[in-house]
Amino acid sequence: MSKSKNQEKYLVTSALPYANGDLHIGQIAGAYLPADIFVRYLKLKGENVLYICGTDEHGAPISIKAEAEGITPQELVDKYHKIIKKSFKGLEINFDNFSGTARPINDKLSQEFFLNLYNKGYIEKKISQQFYCEHDKRFLSDRYVEGICPNCGAEGARGDQCDSCGKLIETIKLGNPVCKICGNTPIIKETTHWYLNLPKFENKLKKWLDTKKYWKENVRNFILGWIKSGLKERAITRDINWGVPVPLEDAKGKVLYVWFDAPIGYISSTIEWAEKIGKPEKWKEYWLDPQTKMIHFLGKDNIPFHTIIWPSMLMEQEKEFILPYDVPANEYLNIQGEKISTSRNLAVWVGDYLKYFDGELLRYVLAAIAPENKDSDFTWSNFQIKVNSELANILGNLANRVFTFSKRYFGGVIQKPNEFSELSQTTLIGANEIVTEIDEAYSNYQVRKAAKLCLDIARLGNKYFDETKPWEKIKKDKNQAAETLYVCSELLRKISIVLSPILPRKMQELHKMMNLPVEDLWDKYNDGFEKIHIDKIQPLFAKIDDQDIEKQEKLLAQKIQDRKKKMDHKEEITYEDFSKMEIRVATIISANRIKRSNKLTKLILDLGEEKRQIVAGISKDYSDEELIGKKIALLVNLKKIKLMGVESNGMLLAANTEDECSLLILDKDIPAGSVIS
């Protein structure tokens, strides 16, 4: 790594987490922990580094979930922005600025990016075919369609990309497409969109990628394979009402595709940071300076966006933005052999984890099993082994036995001896050699290797302590026992520096127990100390009980079982199941369109013996006035829900076609409340 600190700067980003739920440990292992560790390492080295992130806050999933929860999209993203920030804090992941894309600064910047590309002829208007769900009455964005990959035949491929073969997909070519919102088969309709002409960037991209020989092999292979298959024009607008409006007169009702405005959030977050520190122009020192190394940490599913589309967007702006220096993308973290599935709740959520365990324990375990070049697997039993056998039994044990011995025989005072035995010198030299390896590992984003090597220094210390036998030497030669304590304490001091990127808070605790400066720069690892006084001794790591792990394993086993049931078969409805549905005649006595929604109407119904309120998506097909007095079929024994904050206690029956909704209305004057069977 270059040491030209006066000029060279680092701009580090992590993929923006989507603001529609909490974080799971797979996301932490792929994009956030490796970046945080790298940034902490750079700061230990005295480098000029800025760590930027924020929540990704636009797109169809946000609007759909907001509607389901009965709140506005902005309220939803504000809610999950706070939850995500809390999870990051619990894991000691610290950003220099954590923003969000649904902010005026990002809207304005995204529209500028669009217009610059449009005016230079890189964006074109085209009529295209897109999946449309007749049931939900909406065009489906790529990720809301699943089916069979047209390239490799894998099931469960998304409308934008197949995780099995890694190729981008032309959505309408999916086999057996299914709407992920309702499970119905969508149709294909024509719509108008604006496309980024990626083929026009092909030569520039190839020339730029030719300079990236140092990229991780899995990343380079992924991109080269993608380019080899041929770049295609890509739609960058969507037919939804939550997002950045397309800044063209003939594009009313269209918004920018969430992936277009999301990476621009890196820039707007940096601008926000500069404004917060009172230096509004300082963001340019990073984004417009060729000396800046911009490094994107992310999971492999984001590789094509950050290495093809994002650089293309940056290349043709009025300002000369820097391009990514490196994209150390990671593979996937699985859970007990199963792929993480947020839709099926098969995940270990950070918020849930933090209810039971220390966040730093997860930092260490995820670093130790990091999916750097291939998928890795998280299990609760391995989590327990890593914590108990490595952190507690190796590192925690070394600190405890050294500090306890020093308190008992030396009043807690440990000082440098006048001379060292050959074994002591060999041990200290060996530790420094390991530190050199750790330095190289961190600089190459190899946190898995770094975690192991840090524990190797502790292993070396325990081996040295056992070989020198200070419990025997104290009876014969107190100076030899004191030498052992010094060497082991010096190893612990080195560990407290080199392991701090992974365990920042725990290593500060170790520093405090040794009465060392709270923070040390990396270059201090070889300085040694003259004399320290051990403060109050406390265990660095508490072991995790079998009971706690068994509880987590049972919860996870149930999630896996539930998922397999859903994948293996769809349960048929029996006559007994159908008999549980209570359908009655209801008369509509009032109807009022819900103002914040474009399709929901609040209805008050007469069921004979009671009045009932429901919310139905019929406002596009029926005016309030024409609904009054109609007798409809109502499913009455459903659990109450809220839609747009309005309580709904039942569901009316209706038929849906591509263009309209038609209520099932009784053709005879049957009394309200009568049972339909």
Side-chain angles (χ1 to χ4, degrees), residues 76-98:
L76 185 90
V77 299
D78 289 345
K79 168 186 171 182
Y80 285 110
H81 181 86
K82 291 177 183 176
I83 290 172
I84 290 169
K85 280 188 74 172
K86 184 178 180 182
S87 290
F88 280 137
K89 184 177 180 181
L91 296 180
E92 304 288 340
I93 293 174
N94 297 332
F95 304 100
D96 288 292
N97 196 62
F98 189 73

Side-chain angles (χ1 to χ4, degrees), residues 77-143:
V77 299
D78 289 345
K79 168 186 171 182
Y80 285 110
H81 181 86
K82 291 177 183 176
I83 290 172
I84 290 169
K85 280 188 74 172
K86 184 178 180 182
S87 290
F88 280 137
K89 184 177 180 181
L91 296 180
E92 304 288 340
I93 293 174
N94 297 332
F95 304 100
D96 288 292
N97 196 62
F98 189 73
S99 186
T101 57
R103 304 188 182 191
I105 187 173
N106 198 61
D107 289 2
K108 181 182 177 183
L109 198 55
S110 298
Q111 290 176 332
E112 287 177 4
F113 261 69
F114 179 91
L115 288 174
N116 285 336
L117 291 166
Y118 179 78
N119 292 332
K120 290 183 178 183
Y122 290 102
I123 292 177
E124 299 170 2
K125 178 181 176 181
K126 292 174 65 177
I127 294 175
S128 63
Q129 293 182 320
Q130 189 175 342
F131 280 122
Y132 179 87
C133 181
E134 295 176 290
H135 178 272
D136 296 307
K137 297 193 179 303
R138 68 172 83 214
F139 282 101
L140 298 174
S141 59
D142 301 339
R143 297 204 170 201

Side-chain angles (χ1 to χ4, degrees), residues 17-271:
Y18 206 55
N20 68 340
D22 194 6
L23 300 163
H24 59 70
I25 63 172
Q27 293 168 299
I28 300 300
Y32 307 107
L33 180 61
D36 184 77
I37 290 172
F38 184 66
V39 168
R40 290 178 182 275
Y41 161 73
L42 290 178
K43 289 181 177 179
L44 274 175
K45 300 280 285 188
E47 301 286 357
N48 181 344
V49 56
L50 192 63
Y51 187 18
I52 293 296
C53 196
T55 41
D56 187 357
E57 298 175 345
H58 287 135
I62 297 290
S63 58
I64 291 168
K65 187 161 188 174
E67 190 170 312
E69 293 191 15
I71 56 179
T72 66
Q74 188 63 59
E75 288 171 334
L76 185 90
V77 299
D78 289 345
K79 168 186 171 182
Y80 285 110
H81 181 86
K82 291 177 183 176
I83 290 172
I84 290 169
K85 280 188 74 172
K86 184 178 180 182
S87 290
F88 280 137
K89 184 177 180 181
L91 296 180
E92 304 288 340
I93 293 174
N94 297 332
F95 304 100
D96 288 292
N97 196 62
F98 189 73
S99 186
T101 57
R103 304 188 182 191
I105 187 173
N106 198 61
D107 289 2
K108 181 182 177 183
L109 198 55
S110 298
Q111 290 176 332
E112 287 177 4
F113 261 69
F114 179 91
L115 288 174
N116 285 336
L117 291 166
Y118 179 78
N119 292 332
K120 290 183 178 183
Y122 290 102
I123 292 177
E124 299 170 2
K125 178 181 176 181
K126 292 174 65 177
I127 294 175
S128 63
Q129 293 182 320
Q130 189 175 342
F131 280 122
Y132 179 87
C133 181
E134 295 176 290
H135 178 272
D136 296 307
K137 297 193 179 303
R138 68 172 83 214
F139 282 101
L140 298 174
S141 59
D142 301 339
R143 297 204 170 201
Y144 271 81
V145 188
E146 272 191 3
I148 297 173
C149 175
N151 301 307
C152 69
E155 295 185 356
R158 299 191 309 268
D160 61 343
Q161 182 178 325
C162 174
D163 286 340
S164 295
C165 66
K167 293 183 179 179
L168 290 187
I169 293 172
E170 188 178 342
T171 311
I172 60 171
K173 290 186 177 179
L174 276 176
N176 297 339
V178 174
C179 170
K180 289 184 68 177
I181 303 170
C182 65
N184 289 311
T185 301
I187 64 169
I188 295 175
K189 287 182 70 173
E190 281 192 350
T191 185
T192 300
H193 281 301
W194 280 257
Y195 285 70
L196 181 63
N197 194 329
L198 287 176
K200 287 187 175 181
F201 292 94
E202 188 166 337
N203 291 334
K204 287 184 179 180
L205 286 170
K206 283 182 178 178
K207 186 176 180 181
W208 172 66
L209 288 169
D210 281 343
T211 68
K212 304 302 176 184
K213 307 292 187 186
Y214 54 87
W215 280 14
K216 288 172 67 173
E217 186 178 355
N218 63 322
V219 177
R220 258 186 75 79
N221 290 342
F222 194 109
I223 306 162
L224 293 174
W226 202 64
I227 291 179
K228 187 177 180 181
S229 63
L231 295 179
K232 297 177 179 64
E233 296 174 336
R234 189 166 182 84
I236 55 171
T237 61
R238 288 293 183 267
D239 289 301
I240 56 175
N241 56 9
W242 174 246
V244 180
V246 177
L248 296 174
E249 280 297 320
D250 57 344
K252 289 183 179 178
K254 308 282 183 180
V255 299
L256 295 177
Y257 174 33
V258 63
W259 213 96
F260 187 89
D261 73 268
I264 296 170
Y266 297 141
I267 304 176
S268 62
S269 183
T270 312
I271 294 172

Side-chain angles (χ1 to χ4, degrees), residues 60 155 216 278 385 398 605 624 659:
E155 295 185 356
K216 288 172 67 173
I385 290 169
L398 177 62
L605 308 171
D624 295 345
D659 299 315

